[in-house]
Amino acid sequence: MTQNSGHERGTGQDTTEVEIGGGRAGVRGRRRVRRLLGVGLVDYLGVGLFVAFSAVYFTRIVGLSTGGVGLGLGLAGLIALGTAVPIGRLADLVGVRNTLIALHLARAAGTAGYAAVGEWWGFLVAVAVVTTADQSVSALTQAFVAELAEGADRVRTLAAYRTVANLGISLGAPLGGLAVGLDDAAAFRAVVLVNAAAFVLVAGLLATIPAPPARGAATRVSGWGALRDRRVWGLASIDTLLQLWLPVLNLGIPLWLTMRGGLSAAWLGALYAVNTVFGVVCQMPAARLAVSVRAARRCQVAAGALLAAACVLLWSAERAPAAVVFPLGVVLLSCGEVIAVSAAWTLSYAVAPDDRRAEYLAAFGMGRSVGRHVLGPVLITALLQAVGGVAWGILAALFASAGIGTLFVRLPPDHPAADAREV
């Protein structure tokens, strides 16, 4: 998988070797990418273990109310948004890899704290640490990939990383689900501690990947930096809307299926499986469609159209056969997802200056966090309750407008991402 992600048509060479210069340097480059993919697999195996039963754990074992868990997660999300750019600036100053190692250790500490908390305030502290680290890890991993690869190889490496992440979650979630079946507090806490240990292992594995020294250039820049860049705001706003695909999948489709679909809740497992398999199989091909700025613009337009079409199709579940509408809707949603994600990688690289890359990618990532974890859940649940099926028409309009909006953001044509070879 990792080797194929670096191949170009018409050549038998690994493009990582071509970009770095061949020979021993090329071998080192490939080894670093492989190690990073190994890091991703361990990371998301741990995440998959815990995500399968986290809600059950906090309510049944810790004894928190559902409202208390929701409030804690919401506050943690706001804290994470407020710290994203400062953490990005720190990474530009002291080194992306070093900051990633510290963040994974913070995730380990916060996750281990889950096994010890017994009241809401302790839960809030632990979940704030974990959520803040989680959201910064995503942007800084993208920044670290930019230090290990060049041009089109960056997007291909990120696609391979996301594929490995999906595999990790797919393997870890069933194992975590076994703890729910045991219904034993000790088993729950043991899995939580295994998750924490996985993050420690991830930090150790990252420490073995050689990385360039910290630039230090960020200390010479004052002011708001990335937060004043209109291109970042424009792209982040568009990504906020396109990333609504996740709450549509996690909230909109389950709610709509029970409200209007005429199908049993047992269908949800199969629908999630379709999305997961699609992500594993199609993320790499989708990345090949978005390796230049021009191609990424087209991909975001296409993603907006696919996501809008998925919403229109789901809206038709009131009249059309639900057993056909829901699977096809998930397929269209999954197509839009993998294309939108790949396009966002290329476009965010295009606006991030090399000496402040982590800060800019962190600022861009704020839009993703808002769409997935703040705006999306509130908007989708409120719309479905207020206007029923018309909610899908509104969501379709938002997705379509987001795709078209990409065409109006001015991007630098001379950025390495813009010159990357299309495959």
Side-chain angles (χ1 to χ4, degrees):
M1 181 188 303
T2 59
Q3 291 178 338
N4 291 339
S5 67
H7 284 195
E8 288 189 321
R9 287 183 184 174
T11 72
Q13 290 179 295
D14 187 297
T15 55
T16 304
E17 183 171 343
V18 173
E19 297 289 351
I20 296 177
R24 293 182 179 178
V27 172
R28 287 196 298 269
R30 292 195 299 273
R31 286 176 178 171
R32 292 173 184 177
V33 169
R34 291 192 189 104
R35 288 184 188 180
L36 183 62
L37 295 179
V39 166
L41 181 61
V42 174
D43 185 352
Y44 284 91
L45 273 170
V47 170
L49 281 171
F50 184 60
V51 75
F53 68 87
S54 57
V56 176
Y57 174 76
F58 289 128
T59 55
R60 186 187 302 174
I61 305 301
V62 179
L64 302 176
S65 68
T66 302
V69 172
L71 177 61
L73 290 172
L75 291 174
L78 292 176
I79 293 170
L81 286 174
T83 57
V85 171
I87 291 175
R89 286 190 176 186
L90 177 66
D92 284 324
L93 179 62
V94 305
V96 173
R97 188 199 63 171
N98 295 336
T99 308
L100 273 172
I101 291 171
L103 288 171
H104 283 296
L105 292 175
R107 294 172 84 195
T111 302
Y114 289 157
V117 298
E119 43 82 31
W120 186 81
W121 286 105
F123 162 72
L124 177 62
V125 172
V127 78
V129 170
V130 172
T131 304
T132 297
D134 279 348
Q135 295 193 23
S136 292
V137 160
S138 178
L140 295 194
T141 298
Q142 185 181 349
F144 191 45
V145 166
E147 296 180 351
L148 302 181
E150 297 290 338
D153 285 326
R154 293 173 175 174
V155 176
R156 283 192 283 262
T157 300
L158 285 169
Y161 188 91
R162 192 168 191 262
T163 300
V164 167
N166 279 324
L167 283 172
I169 291 177
S170 299
L171 295 172
L175 296 176
L178 294 177
V180 178
L182 294 173
D183 197 20
D184 178 74
F188 276 97
R189 291 193 170 93
V191 176
V192 170
L193 293 176
V194 169
N195 188 13
F199 294 144
V200 174
L201 178 57
V202 165
L205 292 173
L206 276 172
T208 69
I209 303 177
R215 305 178 191 88
T219 58
R220 299 195 296 268
V221 182
S222 60
W224 290 92
L227 295 179
R228 296 187 62 181
D229 193 316
R230 293 181 180 178
R231 299 169 305 171
V232 173
W233 276 108
L235 290 175
S237 298
I238 290 166
D239 200 49
T240 295
L241 295 179
L242 292 178
Q243 292 302 318
L244 291 175
W245 70 263
L246 183 61
V248 164
L249 178 69
N250 290 340
L251 290 174
I253 289 177
L255 287 173
W256 188 236
L257 186 144
T258 56
M259 289 169 60
R260 295 287 187 271
L263 298 176
S264 71
W267 275 74
L268 290 175
L271 295 175
Y272 281 122
V274 169
N275 176 261
T276 301
V277 171
F278 205 97
V280 171
V281 173
C282 298
Q283 188 64 71
M284 289 297 299
R288 298 189 184 101
L289 300 175
V291 294
S292 72
V293 168
R294 180 180 298 178
R297 284 184 188 272
R298 294 196 298 264
C299 283
Q300 279 207 316
V301 174
L306 286 166
L307 294 170
C311 291
V312 171
L313 186 60
L314 289 167
W315 190 1
S316 72
E318 289 180 311
R319 298 175 180 83
V324 175
V325 166
F326 278 91
L328 288 179
V330 170
V331 168
L332 287 175
L333 189 79
S334 302
C335 287
E337 168 200 341
V338 295
I339 294 174
V341 168
S342 298
W345 290 331
T346 295
L347 295 176
S348 58
Y349 277 138
V351 297
D354 290 344
D355 61 341
R356 304 187 74 186
R357 186 183 293 125
E359 176 190 340
Y360 271 67
L361 293 178
F364 178 86
M366 292 170 65
R368 182 183 307 120
S369 298
V370 169
R372 292 183 176 184
H373 306 296
V374 181
L375 173 64
V378 174
L379 177 66
I380 290 169
T381 55
L383 283 176
L384 283 174
Q385 290 176 359
V387 295
V390 177
W392 295 106
I394 296 172
L395 289 170
L398 290 175
F399 282 130
S401 62
I404 295 171
T406 310
L407 302 175
F408 297 94
V409 179
R410 299 184 63 182
L411 295 172
D414 57 344
H415 191 276
D419 298 329
R421 293 181 292 274
E422 295 188 45
V423 294

